Amino acid sequence: MPSTSLTLLASATLVKQGAEAKVYKSTLHPAPNLASLAPDKVQTDASQPVYVLLKHRFQKNYRHPTLNASLTRSRVAGEARALMKCLRAGVNVPGIRMVDAAEGTLGIEWIEGESVRVVLGGGEDGEEIQDDEQGADADIEPPDLLAVFNVNQNDVMVMIGTEIAKMHLADIIHGDLTTSNMMLRRKRSLLSTTSAENKETELLLIDFGLSYISALVEDKAVDLYVLERAFASTHPDSEPLFALVMQTYAEKSGKDWKAVGRKLDEVRLRGRKRSMVG
Amino acid sequence: MESYLYDEFPDNVCTVHIALFVDVANAAPLRARLVRASTLEGVEGDAEREAVNFAFIDAKLVTSRLHVQTALYQSIIAFTQSALKTKTVHSEVLWSLNPTNNITEALRRFGISDSSTAIVVARVGPQSDRSVIEEQMREVIQGRLVPLDLHNLTDWSAIKKYYKLNTDPVIVAQGQNLNRQRTTIDELVTSFVAMKSVMS
């Protein structure tokens, strides 16, 4: 009998494949069968399909099955725990919808939006090949997308700095901060009506596959350094933008900034890896 | 009553029925009946257990449809992997809802109590005639079957207490904005139920 997760994935749409996992778009809870129930109208939240993103850490045949099972299990668990910790800390991340650690499947809320990388005109993740049909559009696209979300580049930088600061205050290290791992989406109407800030766009951090918990200044500084490098390589001439990320981060992280900022200068000089000399 | 058919689950647990009863008059005798059914032996015991073969959840501690659906979904996954922490898939639903690993506490908090007046009833099982299931529910519960509209019944302060959300930055930051806070709480508890199996 095929396992639950595999049957679920068979009917899902593959969105992206990486070395570690495949990502699918699917629905989790089918539409309810209300047939014999009399007059109550089908409620709005149940009538339209609610999508989830399924991240399946598939079987790695180059690993011993026992090792594979335990690695997969602990990675799915780690990612789920990091997301939960972020949710509690008020960091914008997708909600968790299902976890099947034995099969390596993590189901999270589907984010209807666009990655910051694309919004800033950094192109789609990886492949340039996909561009050829709309290569000419590439120059016009960024302003369009910013307009869709009704933000300017500076707004996005402030949102990035804010989320990372909240995350680091909760001692969560993302481990893979890039503009591809940040999504913009229009807030759900329910939230925007009562929202304190008047922006109707929010920024979410995604992909906590490499995340871990640490209060070390070193780890936070390296996390920022990784993002700085990612910015420099995907978005040319983005130094002034990134400066705004750092400025916001500094404001939002308060007293922690002094130590992290000092450490960041140190990391910039020596790179991500600590010197192993001595 | 709402029924959901999951293609990914094996035939014996592919269907979930969820119903909400309000103005329930027989919570105390029903609870006593559940306790008795668990210890009855022989054919009579099997019949009695079948009659009350549901998950009975106190509606006060359910924040949304997705909250309870998530608990059901995770319980069925555990069932298919023979990884149930409790005896049945239905008691597992209560365990999944409770933030700690204490089974007694889960049943006491999230199961029905003598004072319950609103109950969420759920059945996991093979594909079957919905009217039969609904009839079975009506037989054990003296109450009014209403659409699954849960958030007005939720006891938000109890939810915050049990899930230990009172000190979480995300809740504190929102202050007295109740609507926003409730949306956040619903998201938090739903996510929590989903990841309970890997809690720590």
Side-chain angles (χ1 to χ4, degrees):
Chain A
M1 187 190 70
S3 80
T4 298
S5 279
L6 295 183
T7 321
L8 177 61
L9 294 172
S11 62
T13 324
L14 183 64
V15 176
K16 198 162 274 182
Q17 159 144 27
E20 186 66 29
K22 291 180 180 177
V23 170
Y24 300 84
K25 181 179 186 178
S26 178
T27 55
L28 199 56
H29 304 290
N33 171 4
L34 299 156
S36 78
L37 251 192
D40 46 297
K41 47 197 180 293
V42 179
Q43 281 144 23
T44 44
D45 56 336
S47 58
Q48 43 195 264
V50 176
Y51 292 106
V52 294
L53 179 144
L54 298 170
K55 180 170 180 178
H56 180 227
R57 293 174 181 271
F58 46 84
Q59 164 101 34
K60 313 294 185 304
N61 290 319
Y62 52 83
R63 286 200 294 241
H64 187 281
T66 313
L67 177 64
N68 185 62
S70 91
L71 280 176
T72 301
R73 195 187 155 76
S74 64
R75 284 175 184 171
V76 171
E79 190 165 353
R81 281 178 211 146
L83 284 170
M84 193 67 223
K85 200 157 193 280
C86 282
L87 286 167
R88 289 194 163 220
V91 184
N92 284 343
V93 296
I96 310 165
R97 293 295 175 260
M98 65 87 82
V99 174
D100 183 350
E103 289 291 335
T105 314
L106 175 69
I108 59 175
E109 178 190 355
W110 178 263
I111 297 165
E112 198 56 61
E114 197 55 80
S115 82
V116 170
R117 178 183 175 137
V118 173
V119 174
L120 293 183
E124 283 293 337
D125 212 352
E127 281 88 74
E128 309 296 298
I129 313 121
Q130 287 180 340
D131 274 350
D132 47 12
E133 49 188 301
Q134 30 172 280
D137 293 348
D139 299 318
I140 334 166
E141 235 175 316
D144 277 347
L145 274 173
L146 285 166
V148 167
F149 292 105
N150 193 18
V151 290
N152 59 36
Q153 291 194 330
N154 289 353
D155 295 334
V156 178
M157 297 309 125
V158 170
M159 287 192 277
I160 295 174
T162 309
E163 293 313 312
I164 300 176
K166 276 192 278 181
M167 183 180 76
H168 280 178
L169 281 177
D171 291 339
I172 304 154
I173 310 300
H174 185 282
D176 189 18
L177 282 177
T178 64
T179 45
S180 317
N181 284 340
M182 299 168 186
M183 300 279 295
L184 284 181
R185 85 164 159 200
R186 307 286 303 214
K187 273 188 191 167
R188 288 158 290 185
S189 54
L190 195 66
L191 284 168
S192 67
T193 50
T194 52
S195 152
E197 63 267 74
N198 275 325
K199 294 271 178 254
E200 62 289 283
T201 296
E202 59 185 350
L203 181 135
L204 296 97
L205 300 177
I206 57 168
D207 192 0
F208 284 75
L210 292 173
S211 67
Y212 56 98
I213 307 294
S214 165
L216 293 181
V217 172
E218 163 79 20
D219 293 326
K220 294 177 186 178
V222 168
D223 220 19
L224 292 171
Y225 177 71
V226 167
L227 179 62
E228 189 177 47
R229 297 305 298 261
F231 250 90
S233 61
T234 32
H235 308 291
D237 305 322
S238 61
E239 285 93 344
L241 288 178
F242 190 74
L244 187 51
V245 173
M246 295 311 301
Q247 190 194 324
T248 315
Y249 179 90
E251 282 163 17
K252 302 281 175 180
S253 45
K255 61 178 170 46
D256 290 9
W257 166 246
K258 241 176 98 185
V260 177
R262 212 181 312 122
K263 193 59 128 180
L264 180 59
D265 291 334
E266 209 177 288
V267 175
R268 280 196 188 110
L269 291 175
R270 61 147 217 254
R272 184 167 62 87
K273 302 278 191 201
R274 278 174 114 154
S275 169
M276 286 297 154
V277 181
Chain B
M1 186 181 75
E2 298 180 2
S3 303
Y4 298 88
L5 176 63
Y6 293 93
D7 294 328
E8 63 265 33
F9 291 133
D11 290 344
N12 57 337
V13 288
C14 67
T15 311
V16 167
H17 307 276
I18 311 173
L20 172 62
F21 284 84
V22 294
D23 302 335
V24 176
N26 65 332
L30 177 58
R31 199 182 71 88
R33 188 177 169 189
L34 292 176
V35 174
R36 201 173 56 245
S38 65
T39 54
L40 275 180
E41 284 169 17
V43 187
E44 188 195 359
D46 291 339
E48 179 67 2
R49 275 189 289 279
E50 180 54 32
V52 294
N53 190 15
F54 295 101
F56 295 93
I57 310 156
D58 195 322
K60 283 207 303 278
L61 295 176
V62 181
T63 56
S64 65
R65 175 188 288 104
L66 187 60
H67 186 208
V68 67
Q69 277 181 326
T70 306
L72 283 154
Y73 198 91
Q74 292 299 122
S75 302
I76 300 174
I77 289 179
F79 177 83
T80 57
Q81 295 173 348
S82 308
L84 287 181
K85 301 281 199 307
T86 62
K87 301 235 172 178
T88 71
V89 71
H90 289 128
S91 53
E92 192 80 359
V93 176
L94 299 174
W95 183 84
S96 299
L97 286 166
N98 189 42
T100 73
N101 280 316
N102 188 325
I103 296 172
T104 314
E105 183 186 274
L107 299 186
R108 201 179 56 233
R109 284 180 174 176
F110 287 83
I112 54 172
S113 62
D114 291 350
S115 58
S116 303
T117 54
I119 300 178
V120 175
V121 198
R123 159 73 67 86
V124 175
Q127 223 177 330
S128 55
D129 191 346
R130 300 180 68 240
S131 56
V132 173
I133 303 283
E134 197 173 306
E135 199 44 48
Q136 273 185 3
M137 288 180 177
R138 287 180 193 278
E139 266 166 30
V140 291
I141 302 176
Q142 294 161 17
R144 201 153 51 81
L145 180 59
V146 295
L148 199 59
D149 198 3
L150 289 157
H151 63 277
N152 289 327
L153 300 165
T154 308
D155 180 346
W156 296 94
S157 61
I159 289 271
K160 277 198 275 186
K161 184 173 139 206
Y162 291 159
Y163 284 93
K164 299 193 172 63
L165 304 176
N166 279 314
T167 55
D168 278 345
V170 62
I171 301 294
V172 175
Q174 288 175 346
Q176 294 308 306
N177 189 338
L178 280 186
N179 270 338
R180 183 141 175 252
Q181 196 186 74
R182 286 173 184 179
T183 314
T184 311
I185 294 174
D186 181 35
E187 180 54 70
L188 277 175
V189 298
T190 303
S191 293
F192 189 89
V193 170
M195 61 85 67
K196 162 128 196 210
S197 59
V198 294
M199 184 170 55
S200 45

